[in-house]
Amino acid sequence: MNEFFIAFFVTLNVSSFICFGYDKRKAKKNLHRFSEKSLLIMTFFGGTIGSVLGMLFFNHKTNKKSFIFKVLVIILFQILILYLIYNYYQ
């Protein structure tokens, strides 16, 4: 079961990273892009590391304060969930 979760999160983070890069490329060419909602959903369901690395590596959405705020809220929520799960199983 642990291998499944590891593979799931690795795949999700790599996908998030690639999506941020692809979206940045599309933005430079003024083409149809991923919605912010799609990027935030990937971040919410576990692609946080890939999303943050994608934002920093591709310099994508780093000037958009509302997007950064939403990502930070997601990160805080995930930390809270991990804390509650950890304490529940102690």
Side-chain angles (χ1 to χ4, degrees):
M1 192 69 154
N2 287 337
E3 294 85 14
F4 171 77
F5 284 115
I6 291 170
F8 173 77
F9 284 112
V10 168
T11 303
L12 188 56
N13 279 287
V14 169
S15 298
S16 294
F17 182 81
I18 290 169
C19 285
F20 270 82
Y22 187 69
D23 194 54
K24 176 66 174 192
R25 186 176 189 190
K26 293 281 196 169
K28 285 183 176 181
K29 295 181 179 186
N30 288 327
L31 298 174
H32 185 70
R33 302 166 48 193
F34 289 108
S35 67
E36 277 191 9
K37 184 178 179 180
S38 298
L39 296 173
L40 290 170
I41 287 171
M42 282 190 292
T43 304
F44 180 79
F45 285 108
T48 308
I49 295 170
S51 296
V52 171
L53 289 176
M55 287 173 67
L56 297 174
F57 185 80
F58 299 111
N59 196 29
H60 190 47
K61 303 272 187 198
T62 55
N63 291 326
K64 194 162 186 183
K65 303 291 184 212
S66 64
F67 188 82
I68 292 172
F69 176 76
K70 291 172 188 172
V71 170
L72 290 175
V73 168
I74 289 171
I75 291 170
L76 290 174
F77 180 76
Q78 290 172 338
I79 290 170
L80 174 65
I81 294 299
L82 288 173
Y83 174 78
L84 293 173
I85 290 171
Y86 177 77
N87 283 326
Y88 179 78
Y89 288 107
Q90 285 296 321

